[in-house]
Amino acid sequence: FCLKAYRAKVSLRLILVSGKTQDFTFSPNDSATDIARHVFENWPAGWEEESVSSPSILRLIFQGRFLHGNVTLGALKLPPGRTTVMHLVARETLPEPNSHGQRNREKTTESSCCLLL
């Protein structure tokens, strides 16, 4: 069973803030850091305007949450055989896990992936 899961591939469609998309294939064992490094090293031809200086500032957002670097695709229990959509943004630091408390909710009534810049 583990060997079968290891061989499985995960299809990701990454979306930039600009709306441009690109599909990639990864292993369930790949972490968010591995994905950022791979995308940086294989930057798609149509994404020149959005290029970044380092893979360390690329962040993945899945279901409205930033993925921390050590989170693997396998840990997310993504549905096999389907393409999973994630947002890819350039951001120096991640918000603290508890940073979306009541105090922050009072500051804004809007919530959107595009406001994360």
Side-chain angles (χ1 to χ4, degrees):
F1 176 75
C2 290
L3 187 59
K4 187 176 182 183
Y6 178 78
R7 288 183 180 160
K9 292 293 181 188
V10 177
S11 296
L12 292 185
R13 176 167 295 141
L14 301 181
I15 303 176
L16 300 178
V17 173
S18 66
K20 294 178 182 176
T21 64
Q22 182 70 41
D23 291 359
F24 293 91
T25 303
F26 295 99
S27 159
N29 297 328
D30 286 332
S31 69
T33 299
D34 297 331
I35 294 166
R37 187 179 313 113
H38 176 82
V39 172
F40 179 78
E41 291 171 356
N42 300 278
W43 200 253
W47 289 9
E48 292 92 348
E49 293 177 18
E50 291 88 355
S51 65
V52 295
S53 58
S54 166
S56 65
I57 65 169
L58 291 174
R59 308 291 183 198
L60 291 170
I61 302 172
F62 178 59
Q63 295 183 340
R65 296 178 185 228
F66 282 93
L67 298 183
H68 286 265
N70 57 352
V71 174
T72 65
L73 294 176
L76 298 175
K77 296 181 173 38
L78 303 175
R82 293 193 178 165
T83 298
T84 299
V85 176
M86 294 188 185
H87 288 86
L88 182 69
V89 298
R91 184 175 176 140
E92 294 289 340
T93 58
L94 287 179
E96 291 299 316
N98 297 327
S99 69
H100 41 275
Q102 188 62 37
R103 187 172 41 121
N104 288 346
R105 283 195 202 116
E106 292 170 1
K107 291 180 184 175
T108 179
T109 56
E110 292 184 77
S111 177
S112 171
C113 68
C114 301
L115 295 176
L116 296 173
L117 297 177

